[in-house]
Amino acid sequence: MPLPFRPNCLPAAFGALPHSTSHAAWDACVRHLPVMLPLPLLASDGEDPATLAADGFGGAIIAMDQLHLDLSSAHASLDDLYLAYLRNDVESRALDLAALDDWNLREAQIKRAEAISTMLMGPISLALRLVDEDGTPALVDGLLIDALVKHLYLRLQWLQGVIGRSARTGLYWLYEPYLDVVGSPFSPVDWPAARQILEETFAGTAGVHAVWVGEMTDVPALIESPTVEVVGLPLPLPNVVEVWAPALRRFIERRGAIGWGIVPHTVEGLAHARVGRLAARFGAVLRALDDAGLPTGDVVAASLIMPEDTLDHLYPSEAEAALAMAGQLSGLLRHSYGLD
């Protein structure tokens, strides 16, 4: 389902954070993102999008922040995976997330939020990250791609059961930073296949389906899929987004939303960033879209304001500075465009 409200340039971010305790991570999310509240994830404890996606997949080896694939183990585990899928055994894909220990204590804040979001690395990017001993990614093996889809389908179903206990709306991000490989000469996956993969992964998830992509991804090809209800990406250049205007118009008309990654996610970027300059960059994108026939009012109503990517590689104080800047930029834009 699409977001049941217009985001109107609300601030949002991914929950993968560098904090050492779930209490501190919850506090940061509630302080800066009370409306679009992410489920806090402790990246230092292995709660990053790639690890959360790969955990429990047969043959996946997670060591020193690197992912590897034991092909023989992967193929040997397929029968168990397909049986779990046929039985809809979502508990077979349960995760031990630190934030859930504090869930009941945060019940009031969760219920006040318009949406609770969470994230997993998506099947295409995960299939690129999982490489065997010869350096061959799982993406070249159609059987393993299908297995990853079913594995992540069950994991999303489990997350839906957790979040749906209290949240008004569940927003489920598939983190696909390597989706720009789709359609390239080096990829066995073309866009019709990629859309089908995402649709099957999201199938049955009774919430908002969101996909985060890299800046070189063919966004119009992605949002052809009615399954994608929120698309997020680093803020593109005006001349790039201008070409997307017809596809974005159709997307917004079916109540799609766009998460614009504007706030820097590096220490250097944050040190030089100013809210006014970031607003001016967004304004240039809005003017390009308006010149291409997509009215500014329609775009800002469908927009979320986000960091350029995850913040888990920063220190906690730096991550919170990025979250605070997202809130400040959101406030400026909402005031400027009469969205308050």
Side-chain angles (χ1 to χ4, degrees), residues 70-107:
D70 183 319
L71 270 180
S72 60
S73 296
H75 284 282
S77 67
L78 290 179
D79 286 346
D80 288 341
L81 170 58
Y82 281 107
L83 184 60
Y85 178 77
L86 289 171
R87 291 176 173 174
N88 200 36
D89 182 7
V90 300
E91 289 301 320
S92 68
R93 296 302 182 270
L95 292 167
D96 184 19
L97 299 178
L100 299 184
D101 295 336
D102 293 338
W103 183 273
N104 291 336
L105 298 175
R106 303 289 179 166
E107 193 86 15

PDB file of all heavy atoms in Angstrom, residues 70-107:
ATOM      1  N   ASP A  70      29.385 -20.283   0.619  1.00  0.00           N
ATOM      2  CA  ASP A  70      29.796 -21.668   0.427  1.00  0.00           C
ATOM      3  C   ASP A  70      28.752 -22.316  -0.469  1.00  0.00           C
ATOM      4  O   ASP A  70      27.628 -22.599  -0.022  1.00  0.00           O
ATOM      5  CB  ASP A  70      29.876 -22.374   1.788  1.00  0.00           C
ATOM      6  CG  ASP A  70      30.367 -23.805   1.685  1.00  0.00           C
ATOM      7  OD1 ASP A  70      29.952 -24.504   0.739  1.00  0.00           O
ATOM      8  OD2 ASP A  70      31.135 -24.238   2.559  1.00  0.00           O
ATOM      9  N   LEU A  71      29.117 -22.525  -1.729  1.00  0.00           N
ATOM     10  CA  LEU A  71      28.136 -22.984  -2.715  1.00  0.00           C
ATOM     11  C   LEU A  71      27.534 -24.334  -2.354  1.00  0.00           C
ATOM     12  O   LEU A  71      26.316 -24.539  -2.469  1.00  0.00           O
ATOM     13  CB  LEU A  71      28.793 -23.080  -4.093  1.00  0.00           C
ATOM     14  CG  LEU A  71      28.751 -21.824  -4.967  1.00  0.00           C
ATOM     15  CD1 LEU A  71      29.458 -22.097  -6.292  1.00  0.00           C
ATOM     16  CD2 LEU A  71      27.316 -21.398  -5.223  1.00  0.00           C
ATOM     17  N   SER A  72      28.339 -25.267  -1.896  1.00  0.00           N
ATOM     18  CA  SER A  72      27.805 -26.591  -1.574  1.00  0.00           C
ATOM     19  C   SER A  72      26.808 -26.515  -0.429  1.00  0.00           C
ATOM     20  O   SER A  72      25.751 -27.151  -0.476  1.00  0.00           O
ATOM     21  CB  SER A  72      28.945 -27.552  -1.237  1.00  0.00           C
ATOM     22  OG  SER A  72      29.697 -27.084  -0.127  1.00  0.00           O
ATOM     23  N   SER A  73      27.121 -25.699   0.595  1.00  0.00           N
ATOM     24  CA  SER A  73      26.190 -25.538   1.712  1.00  0.00           C
ATOM     25  C   SER A  73      24.917 -24.827   1.279  1.00  0.00           C
ATOM     26  O   SER A  73      23.818 -25.154   1.732  1.00  0.00           O
ATOM     27  CB  SER A  73      26.854 -24.754   2.850  1.00  0.00           C
ATOM     28  OG  SER A  73      27.947 -25.461   3.385  1.00  0.00           O
ATOM     29  N   ALA A  74      25.066 -23.844   0.389  1.00  0.00           N
ATOM     30  CA  ALA A  74      23.902 -23.110  -0.099  1.00  0.00           C
ATOM     31  C   ALA A  74      22.930 -24.036  -0.817  1.00  0.00           C
ATOM     32  O   ALA A  74      21.721 -24.023  -0.568  1.00  0.00           O
ATOM     33  CB  ALA A  74      24.340 -21.973  -1.017  1.00  0.00           C
ATOM     34  N   HIS A  75      23.454 -24.850  -1.710  1.00  0.00           N
ATOM     35  CA  HIS A  75      22.578 -25.756  -2.460  1.00  0.00           C
ATOM     36  C   HIS A  75      22.018 -26.857  -1.563  1.00  0.00           C
ATOM     37  O   HIS A  75      20.871 -27.284  -1.750  1.00  0.00           O
ATOM     38  CB  HIS A  75      23.325 -26.341  -3.650  1.00  0.00           C
ATOM     39  CG  HIS A  75      23.492 -25.379  -4.784  1.00  0.00           C
ATOM     40  ND1 HIS A  75      22.477 -25.077  -5.667  1.00  0.00           N
ATOM     41  CD2 HIS A  75      24.555 -24.625  -5.167  1.00  0.00           C
ATOM     42  CE1 HIS A  75      22.895 -24.192  -6.551  1.00  0.00           C
ATOM     43  NE2 HIS A  75      24.155 -23.891  -6.267  1.00  0.00           N
ATOM     44  N   ALA A  76      22.792 -27.294  -0.577  1.00  0.00           N
ATOM     45  CA  ALA A  76      22.312 -28.345   0.328  1.00  0.00           C
ATOM     46  C   ALA A  76      21.170 -27.861   1.214  1.00  0.00           C
ATOM     47  O   ALA A  76      20.353 -28.668   1.689  1.00  0.00           O
ATOM     48  CB  ALA A  76      23.466 -28.856   1.187  1.00  0.00           C
ATOM     49  N   SER A  77      21.109 -26.561   1.456  1.00  0.00           N
ATOM     50  CA  SER A  77      20.087 -26.018   2.361  1.00  0.00           C
ATOM     51  C   SER A  77      18.801 -25.612   1.638  1.00  0.00           C
ATOM     52  O   SER A  77      17.846 -25.165   2.281  1.00  0.00           O
ATOM     53  CB  SER A  77      20.643 -24.796   3.097  1.00  0.00           C
ATOM     54  OG  SER A  77      20.858 -23.727   2.200  1.00  0.00           O
ATOM     55  N   LEU A  78      18.757 -25.754   0.313  1.00  0.00           N
ATOM     56  CA  LEU A  78      17.609 -25.262  -0.436  1.00  0.00           C
ATOM     57  C   LEU A  78      16.312 -25.973  -0.071  1.00  0.00           C
ATOM     58  O   LEU A  78      15.254 -25.340   0.007  1.00  0.00           O
ATOM     59  CB  LEU A  78      17.874 -25.393  -1.940  1.00  0.00           C
ATOM     60  CG  LEU A  78      18.933 -24.450  -2.513  1.00  0.00           C
ATOM     61  CD1 LEU A  78      19.109 -24.701  -4.010  1.00  0.00           C
ATOM     62  CD2 LEU A  78      18.561 -23.000  -2.269  1.00  0.00           C
ATOM     63  N   ASP A  79      16.364 -27.273   0.162  1.00  0.00           N
ATOM     64  CA  ASP A  79      15.136 -28.001   0.498  1.00  0.00           C
ATOM     65  C   ASP A  79      14.501 -27.446   1.766  1.00  0.00           C
ATOM     66  O   ASP A  79      13.278 -27.253   1.831  1.00  0.00           O
ATOM     67  CB  ASP A  79      15.423 -29.490   0.668  1.00  0.00           C
ATOM     68  CG  ASP A  79      15.660 -30.193  -0.664  1.00  0.00           C
ATOM     69  OD1 ASP A  79      15.349 -29.593  -1.716  1.00  0.00           O
ATOM     70  OD2 ASP A  79      16.175 -31.330  -0.646  1.00  0.00           O
ATOM     71  N   ASP A  80      15.325 -27.179   2.789  1.00  0.00           N
ATOM     72  CA  ASP A  80      14.796 -26.630   4.041  1.00  0.00           C
ATOM     73  C   ASP A  80      14.195 -25.247   3.821  1.00  0.00           C
ATOM     74  O   ASP A  80      13.150 -24.914   4.393  1.00  0.00           O
ATOM     75  CB  ASP A  80      15.899 -26.549   5.098  1.00  0.00           C
ATOM     76  CG  ASP A  80      16.301 -27.920   5.624  1.00  0.00           C
ATOM     77  OD1 ASP A  80      15.506 -28.878   5.453  1.00  0.00           O
ATOM     78  OD2 ASP A  80      17.407 -28.038   6.180  1.00  0.00           O
ATOM     79  N   LEU A  81      14.852 -24.436   2.996  1.00  0.00           N
ATOM     80  CA  LEU A  81      14.338 -23.097   2.724  1.00  0.00           C
ATOM     81  C   LEU A  81      12.996 -23.168   2.001  1.00  0.00           C
ATOM     82  O   LEU A  81      12.045 -22.468   2.378  1.00  0.00           O
ATOM     83  CB  LEU A  81      15.348 -22.310   1.882  1.00  0.00           C
ATOM     84  CG  LEU A  81      14.865 -20.973   1.308  1.00  0.00           C
ATOM     85  CD1 LEU A  81      14.412 -20.024   2.410  1.00  0.00           C
ATOM     86  CD2 LEU A  81      15.953 -20.335   0.461  1.00  0.00           C
ATOM     87  N   TYR A  82      12.910 -23.982   0.969  1.00  0.00           N
ATOM     88  CA  TYR A  82      11.662 -24.058   0.205  1.00  0.00           C
ATOM     89  C   TYR A  82      10.537 -24.643   1.060  1.00  0.00           C
ATOM     90  O   TYR A  82       9.376 -24.246   0.909  1.00  0.00           O
ATOM     91  CB  TYR A  82      11.872 -24.871  -1.068  1.00  0.00           C
ATOM     92  CG  TYR A  82      12.550 -24.066  -2.153  1.00  0.00           C
ATOM     93  CD1 TYR A  82      13.875 -24.291  -2.497  1.00  0.00           C
ATOM     94  CD2 TYR A  82      11.870 -23.053  -2.812  1.00  0.00           C
ATOM     95  CE1 TYR A  82      14.507 -23.537  -3.476  1.00  0.00           C
ATOM     96  CE2 TYR A  82      12.484 -22.287  -3.799  1.00  0.00           C
ATOM     97  CZ  TYR A  82      13.801 -22.535  -4.122  1.00  0.00           C
ATOM     98  OH  TYR A  82      14.418 -21.772  -5.093  1.00  0.00           O
ATOM     99  N   LEU A  83      10.864 -25.555   1.967  1.00  0.00           N
ATOM    100  CA  LEU A  83       9.844 -26.087   2.871  1.00  0.00           C
ATOM    101  C   LEU A  83       9.344 -24.987   3.802  1.00  0.00           C
ATOM    102  O   LEU A  83       8.133 -24.852   4.035  1.00  0.00           O
ATOM    103  CB  LEU A  83      10.415 -27.258   3.674  1.00  0.00           C
ATOM    104  CG  LEU A  83       9.426 -27.968   4.604  1.00  0.00           C
ATOM    105  CD1 LEU A  83       8.259 -28.557   3.825  1.00  0.00           C
ATOM    106  CD2 LEU A  83      10.151 -29.070   5.392  1.00  0.00           C
ATOM    107  N   ALA A  84      10.268 -24.192   4.343  1.00  0.00           N
ATOM    108  CA  ALA A  84       9.868 -23.065   5.206  1.00  0.00           C
ATOM    109  C   ALA A  84       9.004 -22.077   4.436  1.00  0.00           C
ATOM    110  O   ALA A  84       8.016 -21.541   4.967  1.00  0.00           O
ATOM    111  CB  ALA A  84      11.111 -22.371   5.758  1.00  0.00           C
ATOM    112  N   TYR A  85       9.358 -21.840   3.190  1.00  0.00           N
ATOM    113  CA  TYR A  85       8.586 -20.919   2.354  1.00  0.00           C
ATOM    114  C   TYR A  85       7.174 -21.454   2.114  1.00  0.00           C
ATOM    115  O   TYR A  85       6.185 -20.723   2.237  1.00  0.00           O
ATOM    116  CB  TYR A  85       9.323 -20.704   1.038  1.00  0.00           C
ATOM    117  CG  TYR A  85       8.609 -19.816   0.054  1.00  0.00           C
ATOM    118  CD1 TYR A  85       8.597 -18.431   0.206  1.00  0.00           C
ATOM    119  CD2 TYR A  85       7.941 -20.365  -1.043  1.00  0.00           C
ATOM    120  CE1 TYR A  85       7.938 -17.615  -0.702  1.00  0.00           C
ATOM    121  CE2 TYR A  85       7.288 -19.552  -1.962  1.00  0.00           C
ATOM    122  CZ  TYR A  85       7.286 -18.180  -1.786  1.00  0.00           C
ATOM    123  OH  TYR A  85       6.628 -17.377  -2.684  1.00  0.00           O
ATOM    124  N   LEU A  86       7.063 -22.734   1.766  1.00  0.00           N
ATOM    125  CA  LEU A  86       5.745 -23.332   1.501  1.00  0.00           C
ATOM    126  C   LEU A  86       4.875 -23.325   2.752  1.00  0.00           C
ATOM    127  O   LEU A  86       3.649 -23.178   2.665  1.00  0.00           O
ATOM    128  CB  LEU A  86       5.923 -24.763   0.986  1.00  0.00           C
ATOM    129  CG  LEU A  86       6.492 -24.883  -0.439  1.00  0.00           C
ATOM    130  CD1 LEU A  86       6.817 -26.334  -0.757  1.00  0.00           C
ATOM    131  CD2 LEU A  86       5.503 -24.319  -1.452  1.00  0.00           C
ATOM    132  N   ARG A  87       5.488 -23.464   3.910  1.00  0.00           N
ATOM    133  CA  ARG A  87       4.747 -23.459   5.178  1.00  0.00           C
ATOM    134  C   ARG A  87       4.558 -22.045   5.729  1.00  0.00           C
ATOM    135  O   ARG A  87       3.921 -21.875   6.774  1.00  0.00           O
ATOM    136  CB  ARG A  87       5.492 -24.305   6.209  1.00  0.00           C
ATOM    137  CG  ARG A  87       5.492 -25.797   5.903  1.00  0.00           C
ATOM    138  CD  ARG A  87       6.334 -26.552   6.916  1.00  0.00           C
ATOM    139  NE  ARG A  87       6.209 -27.999   6.741  1.00  0.00           N
ATOM    140  CZ  ARG A  87       6.919 -28.901   7.414  1.00  0.00           C
ATOM    141  NH1 ARG A  87       7.838 -28.499   8.301  1.00  0.00           N
ATOM    142  NH2 ARG A  87       6.742 -30.191   7.200  1.00  0.00           N
ATOM    143  N   ASN A  88       5.131 -21.055   5.041  1.00  0.00           N
ATOM    144  CA  ASN A  88       5.140 -19.673   5.526  1.00  0.00           C
ATOM    145  C   ASN A  88       5.679 -19.611   6.961  1.00  0.00           C
ATOM    146  O   ASN A  88       5.131 -18.918   7.829  1.00  0.00           O
ATOM    147  CB  ASN A  88       3.745 -19.040   5.457  1.00  0.00           C
ATOM    148  CG  ASN A  88       3.809 -17.524   5.474  1.00  0.00           C
ATOM    149  OD1 ASN A  88       4.718 -16.921   4.910  1.00  0.00           O
ATOM    150  ND2 ASN A  88       2.858 -16.888   6.131  1.00  0.00           N
ATOM    151  N   ASP A  89       6.769 -20.311   7.182  1.00  0.00           N
ATOM    152  CA  ASP A  89       7.377 -20.397   8.507  1.00  0.00           C
ATOM    153  C   ASP A  89       8.256 -19.159   8.727  1.00  0.00           C
ATOM    154  O   ASP A  89       9.482 -19.210   8.608  1.00  0.00           O
ATOM    155  CB  ASP A  89       8.204 -21.682   8.600  1.00  0.00           C
ATOM    156  CG  ASP A  89       8.826 -21.875   9.977  1.00  0.00           C
ATOM    157  OD1 ASP A  89       8.499 -21.089  10.890  1.00  0.00           O
ATOM    158  OD2 ASP A  89       9.659 -22.797  10.116  1.00  0.00           O
ATOM    159  N   VAL A  90       7.622 -18.059   9.078  1.00  0.00           N
ATOM    160  CA  VAL A  90       8.357 -16.804   9.234  1.00  0.00           C
ATOM    161  C   VAL A  90       9.295 -16.854  10.434  1.00  0.00           C
ATOM    162  O   VAL A  90      10.324 -16.163  10.453  1.00  0.00           O
ATOM    163  CB  VAL A  90       7.394 -15.602   9.341  1.00  0.00           C
ATOM    164  CG1 VAL A  90       6.543 -15.489   8.095  1.00  0.00           C
ATOM    165  CG2 VAL A  90       6.513 -15.699  10.574  1.00  0.00           C
ATOM    166  N   GLU A  91       8.975 -17.662  11.435  1.00  0.00           N
ATOM    167  CA  GLU A  91       9.847 -17.739  12.606  1.00  0.00           C
ATOM    168  C   GLU A  91      11.203 -18.336  12.255  1.00  0.00           C
ATOM    169  O   GLU A  91      12.176 -18.133  12.986  1.00  0.00           O
ATOM    170  CB  GLU A  91       9.178 -18.559  13.707  1.00  0.00           C
ATOM    171  CG  GLU A  91       8.000 -17.851  14.360  1.00  0.00           C
ATOM    172  CD  GLU A  91       8.389 -16.514  14.989  1.00  0.00           C
ATOM    173  OE1 GLU A  91       9.491 -16.450  15.598  1.00  0.00           O
ATOM    174  OE2 GLU A  91       7.624 -15.554  14.875  1.00  0.00           O
ATOM    175  N   SER A  92      11.287 -19.045  11.142  1.00  0.00           N
ATOM    176  CA  SER A  92      12.579 -19.582  10.715  1.00  0.00           C
ATOM    177  C   SER A  92      13.524 -18.472  10.270  1.00  0.00           C
ATOM    178  O   SER A  92      14.724 -18.695  10.104  1.00  0.00           O
ATOM    179  CB  SER A  92      12.381 -20.578   9.566  1.00  0.00           C
ATOM    180  OG  SER A  92      11.945 -19.912   8.383  1.00  0.00           O
ATOM    181  N   ARG A  93      12.984 -17.254  10.081  1.00  0.00           N
ATOM    182  CA  ARG A  93      13.796 -16.110   9.657  1.00  0.00           C
ATOM    183  C   ARG A  93      13.746 -14.984  10.691  1.00  0.00           C
ATOM    184  O   ARG A  93      13.940 -13.813  10.375  1.00  0.00           O
ATOM    185  CB  ARG A  93      13.332 -15.594   8.289  1.00  0.00           C
ATOM    186  CG  ARG A  93      13.515 -16.621   7.156  1.00  0.00           C
ATOM    187  CD  ARG A  93      14.974 -17.044   7.042  1.00  0.00           C
ATOM    188  NE  ARG A  93      15.242 -17.992   5.964  1.00  0.00           N
ATOM    189  CZ  ARG A  93      15.202 -19.317   6.085  1.00  0.00           C
ATOM    190  NH1 ARG A  93      14.872 -19.877   7.244  1.00  0.00           N
ATOM    191  NH2 ARG A  93      15.503 -20.100   5.070  1.00  0.00           N
ATOM    192  N   ALA A  94      13.512 -15.350  11.945  1.00  0.00           N
ATOM    193  CA  ALA A  94      13.478 -14.360  13.020  1.00  0.00           C
ATOM    194  C   ALA A  94      14.886 -13.813  13.281  1.00  0.00           C
ATOM    195  O   ALA A  94      15.893 -14.487  13.050  1.00  0.00           O
ATOM    196  CB  ALA A  94      12.910 -14.976  14.292  1.00  0.00           C
ATOM    197  N   LEU A  95      14.947 -12.578  13.763  1.00  0.00           N
ATOM    198  CA  LEU A  95      16.204 -11.916  14.101  1.00  0.00           C
ATOM    199  C   LEU A  95      16.195 -11.521  15.574  1.00  0.00           C
ATOM    200  O   LEU A  95      15.143 -11.198  16.133  1.00  0.00           O
ATOM    201  CB  LEU A  95      16.395 -10.659  13.250  1.00  0.00           C
ATOM    202  CG  LEU A  95      16.622 -10.862  11.757  1.00  0.00           C
ATOM    203  CD1 LEU A  95      16.465  -9.541  11.019  1.00  0.00           C
ATOM    204  CD2 LEU A  95      17.998 -11.461  11.485  1.00  0.00           C
ATOM    205  N   ASP A  96      17.354 -11.514  16.170  1.00  0.00           N
ATOM    206  CA  ASP A  96      17.499 -11.076  17.564  1.00  0.00           C
ATOM    207  C   ASP A  96      17.965  -9.620  17.561  1.00  0.00           C
ATOM    208  O   ASP A  96      19.158  -9.327  17.671  1.00  0.00           O
ATOM    209  CB  ASP A  96      18.498 -11.973  18.288  1.00  0.00           C
ATOM    210  CG  ASP A  96      18.627 -11.627  19.765  1.00  0.00           C
ATOM    211  OD1 ASP A  96      17.704 -10.951  20.293  1.00  0.00           O
ATOM    212  OD2 ASP A  96      19.638 -12.005  20.383  1.00  0.00           O
ATOM    213  N   LEU A  97      17.015  -8.696  17.398  1.00  0.00           N
ATOM    214  CA  LEU A  97      17.340  -7.281  17.303  1.00  0.00           C
ATOM    215  C   LEU A  97      17.320  -6.633  18.680  1.00  0.00           C
ATOM    216  O   LEU A  97      16.348  -6.781  19.446  1.00  0.00           O
ATOM    217  CB  LEU A  97      16.332  -6.569  16.395  1.00  0.00           C
ATOM    218  CG  LEU A  97      16.272  -7.062  14.947  1.00  0.00           C
ATOM    219  CD1 LEU A  97      15.189  -6.303  14.182  1.00  0.00           C
ATOM    220  CD2 LEU A  97      17.628  -6.903  14.263  1.00  0.00           C
ATOM    221  N   ALA A  98      18.365  -5.883  18.984  1.00  0.00           N
ATOM    222  CA  ALA A  98      18.476  -5.263  20.306  1.00  0.00           C
ATOM    223  C   ALA A  98      17.322  -4.310  20.579  1.00  0.00           C
ATOM    224  O   ALA A  98      16.836  -4.209  21.718  1.00  0.00           O
ATOM    225  CB  ALA A  98      19.817  -4.520  20.419  1.00  0.00           C
ATOM    226  N   ALA A  99      16.855  -3.591  19.566  1.00  0.00           N
ATOM    227  CA  ALA A  99      15.803  -2.597  19.762  1.00  0.00           C
ATOM    228  C   ALA A  99      14.502  -3.215  20.255  1.00  0.00           C
ATOM    229  O   ALA A  99      13.707  -2.542  20.912  1.00  0.00           O
ATOM    230  CB  ALA A  99      15.542  -1.841  18.464  1.00  0.00           C
ATOM    231  N   LEU A 100      14.294  -4.493  19.971  1.00  0.00           N
ATOM    232  CA  LEU A 100      13.041  -5.125  20.378  1.00  0.00           C
ATOM    233  C   LEU A 100      12.971  -5.320  21.887  1.00  0.00           C
ATOM    234  O   LEU A 100      11.879  -5.452  22.456  1.00  0.00           O
ATOM    235  CB  LEU A 100      12.865  -6.457  19.657  1.00  0.00           C
ATOM    236  CG  LEU A 100      12.789  -6.360  18.127  1.00  0.00           C
ATOM    237  CD1 LEU A 100      12.520  -7.732  17.527  1.00  0.00           C
ATOM    238  CD2 LEU A 100      11.725  -5.361  17.689  1.00  0.00           C
ATOM    239  N   ASP A 101      14.134  -5.327  22.541  1.00  0.00           N
ATOM    240  CA  ASP A 101      14.143  -5.432  24.003  1.00  0.00           C
ATOM    241  C   ASP A 101      13.494  -4.214  24.643  1.00  0.00           C
ATOM    242  O   ASP A 101      12.975  -4.292  25.765  1.00  0.00           O
ATOM    243  CB  ASP A 101      15.574  -5.587  24.525  1.00  0.00           C
ATOM    244  CG  ASP A 101      16.218  -6.890  24.075  1.00  0.00           C
ATOM    245  OD1 ASP A 101      15.471  -7.846  23.769  1.00  0.00           O
ATOM    246  OD2 ASP A 101      17.465  -6.950  24.019  1.00  0.00           O
ATOM    247  N   ASP A 102      13.557  -3.067  23.947  1.00  0.00           N
ATOM    248  CA  ASP A 102      12.989  -1.826  24.480  1.00  0.00           C
ATOM    249  C   ASP A 102      11.656  -1.470  23.829  1.00  0.00           C
ATOM    250  O   ASP A 102      11.134  -0.376  24.052  1.00  0.00           O
ATOM    251  CB  ASP A 102      13.971  -0.656  24.260  1.00  0.00           C
ATOM    252  CG  ASP A 102      15.240  -0.795  25.082  1.00  0.00           C
ATOM    253  OD1 ASP A 102      15.204  -1.515  26.094  1.00  0.00           O
ATOM    254  OD2 ASP A 102      16.258  -0.192  24.707  1.00  0.00           O
ATOM    255  N   TRP A 103      11.127  -2.369  23.028  1.00  0.00           N
ATOM    256  CA  TRP A 103       9.916  -2.050  22.260  1.00  0.00           C
ATOM    257  C   TRP A 103       8.770  -1.634  23.173  1.00  0.00           C
ATOM    258  O   TRP A 103       8.114  -0.607  22.942  1.00  0.00           O
ATOM    259  CB  TRP A 103       9.512  -3.244  21.403  1.00  0.00           C
ATOM    260  CG  TRP A 103       8.326  -2.988  20.514  1.00  0.00           C
ATOM    261  CD1 TRP A 103       7.007  -3.129  20.843  1.00  0.00           C
ATOM    262  CD2 TRP A 103       8.355  -2.535  19.161  1.00  0.00           C
ATOM    263  NE1 TRP A 103       6.215  -2.806  19.768  1.00  0.00           N
ATOM    264  CE2 TRP A 103       7.009  -2.432  18.724  1.00  0.00           C
ATOM    265  CE3 TRP A 103       9.371  -2.211  18.263  1.00  0.00           C
ATOM    266  CZ2 TRP A 103       6.662  -2.023  17.436  1.00  0.00           C
ATOM    267  CZ3 TRP A 103       9.033  -1.810  16.986  1.00  0.00           C
ATOM    268  CH2 TRP A 103       7.690  -1.714  16.585  1.00  0.00           C
ATOM    269  N   ASN A 104       8.522  -2.407  24.207  1.00  0.00           N
ATOM    270  CA  ASN A 104       7.393  -2.087  25.096  1.00  0.00           C
ATOM    271  C   ASN A 104       7.598  -0.753  25.801  1.00  0.00           C
ATOM    272  O   ASN A 104       6.633  -0.015  26.037  1.00  0.00           O
ATOM    273  CB  ASN A 104       7.194  -3.201  26.119  1.00  0.00           C
ATOM    274  CG  ASN A 104       6.677  -4.479  25.485  1.00  0.00           C
ATOM    275  OD1 ASN A 104       6.054  -4.447  24.419  1.00  0.00           O
ATOM    276  ND2 ASN A 104       6.935  -5.608  26.126  1.00  0.00           N
ATOM    277  N   LEU A 105       8.843  -0.426  26.132  1.00  0.00           N
ATOM    278  CA  LEU A 105       9.120   0.840  26.792  1.00  0.00           C
ATOM    279  C   LEU A 105       8.890   2.027  25.854  1.00  0.00           C
ATOM    280  O   LEU A 105       8.657   3.154  26.314  1.00  0.00           O
ATOM    281  CB  LEU A 105      10.570   0.873  27.293  1.00  0.00           C
ATOM    282  CG  LEU A 105      10.953  -0.179  28.346  1.00  0.00           C
ATOM    283  CD1 LEU A 105      12.436  -0.092  28.655  1.00  0.00           C
ATOM    284  CD2 LEU A 105      10.125   0.009  29.617  1.00  0.00           C
ATOM    285  N   ARG A 106       8.950   1.785  24.569  1.00  0.00           N
ATOM    286  CA  ARG A 106       8.789   2.847  23.562  1.00  0.00           C
ATOM    287  C   ARG A 106       7.396   2.842  22.930  1.00  0.00           C
ATOM    288  O   ARG A 106       7.169   3.526  21.937  1.00  0.00           O
ATOM    289  CB  ARG A 106       9.842   2.673  22.465  1.00  0.00           C
ATOM    290  CG  ARG A 106      11.270   2.668  22.977  1.00  0.00           C
ATOM    291  CD  ARG A 106      11.716   4.044  23.441  1.00  0.00           C
ATOM    292  NE  ARG A 106      13.084   4.025  23.957  1.00  0.00           N
ATOM    293  CZ  ARG A 106      13.813   5.096  24.175  1.00  0.00           C
ATOM    294  NH1 ARG A 106      13.310   6.298  23.922  1.00  0.00           N
ATOM    295  NH2 ARG A 106      15.039   5.005  24.661  1.00  0.00           N
ATOM    296  N   GLU A 107       6.487   2.088  23.495  1.00  0.00           N
ATOM    297  CA  GLU A 107       5.170   1.890  22.893  1.00  0.00           C
ATOM    298  C   GLU A 107       4.464   3.207  22.585  1.00  0.00           C
ATOM    299  O   GLU A 107       3.905   3.394  21.498  1.00  0.00           O
ATOM    300  CB  GLU A 107       4.294   1.045  23.828  1.00  0.00           C
ATOM    301  CG  GLU A 107       3.026   0.520  23.201  1.00  0.00           C
ATOM    302  CD  GLU A 107       3.225  -0.798  22.474  1.00  0.00           C
ATOM    303  OE1 GLU A 107       4.265  -1.443  22.688  1.00  0.00           O
ATOM    304  OE2 GLU A 107       2.341  -1.151  21.686  1.00  0.00           O
TER     305      GLU A 107
END
